C-alpha cells in the first residue's frame, strides 16, 4: 500500500475534522446541534465559492431551501411522499459520493 499524497492526507484530515465536530455538536445539542453545525459549514463554503467567482452557488442554495420548504409544506398538508423521496435520494447520494457518514 502506497503512502497517501499530501492532497489525500488533507482530504482525510478534513473528513476527520468534520466527523469530530459533528459528533461534538450532537453531544452538546442533539440533532439541532448537528443541523446548526452543517448550516455553519455550508455558509462558510458558500462564502468561499462566491469569493472564487462562482456566485451561482447562491441560486443553487436558494433552490435547495425552496425545495425543502415545499417538501415540508406537502408533509404538513398530509402528503409525506415528497419528503420520503427527498430523504431517500439524499441518503443514496451521500452514501455513494459523500464521506463515510
Amino acid at each position: 500500500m502506497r503512502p497517501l499524497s499530501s492532497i489525500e492526507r488533507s482530504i482525510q484530515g478534513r473528513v476527520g475534522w468534520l466527523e469530530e465536530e459533528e459528533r461534538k455538536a450532537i453531544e452538546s445539542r442533539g440533532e439541532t446541534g448537528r443541523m446548526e453545525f452543517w448550516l455553519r459549514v455550508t455558509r462558510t463554503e458558500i462564502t468561499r465559492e462566491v469569493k472564487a467567482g462562482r456566485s451561482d452557488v447562491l441560486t443553487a442554495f436558494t433552490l435547495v431551501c425552496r425545495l425543502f420548504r415545499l417538501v415540508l409544506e406537502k408533509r404538513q398538508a398530509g402528503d409525506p411522499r415528497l419528503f420520503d423521496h427527498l430523504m431517500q435520494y439524499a441518503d443514496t447520494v451521500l452514501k455513494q459520493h459523500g464521506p463515510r457518514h
Side-chain angles (χ1 to χ4, degrees):
M1 189 170 185
R2 69 171 176 75
L4 297 176
S5 71
S6 63
I7 292 173
E8 290 167 328
R9 282 192 310 273
S10 176
I11 291 169
Q12 190 176 51
R14 175 77 172 159
V15 168
W17 179 85
L18 288 169
E19 289 173 344
E20 179 64 15
E21 292 301 310
E22 181 184 40
R23 183 190 62 74
K24 289 180 195 175
I26 294 167
E27 283 179 2
S28 68
R29 299 208 6 126
E31 287 300 312
T32 299
R34 178 189 297 216
M35 176 201 61
E36 291 169 346
F37 166 71
W38 284 108
L39 283 173
R40 283 191 307 275
V41 169
T42 301
R43 185 177 56 220
T44 300
E45 289 299 318
I46 288 170
T47 300
R48 286 184 185 141
E49 288 289 299
V50 170
K51 285 181 181 178
R54 296 183 290 266
S55 61
D56 60 340
V57 70
L58 298 171
T59 302
F61 187 71
T62 301
L63 287 172
V64 168
C65 290
R66 289 178 60 204
L67 171 63
F68 192 70
R69 275 208 56 192
L70 172 67
V71 165
L72 291 178
E73 288 169 1
K74 292 286 188 181
R75 185 169 78 161
Q76 291 163 0
D79 184 0
R81 290 176 298 170
L82 282 177
F83 183 87
D84 295 342
H85 291 303
L86 182 62
M87 293 295 286
Q88 290 170 359
Y89 179 70
D91 186 57
T92 299
V93 170
L94 289 171
K95 282 180 180 171
Q96 290 178 2
H97 302 284
R100 291 173 274 174
H101 61 302

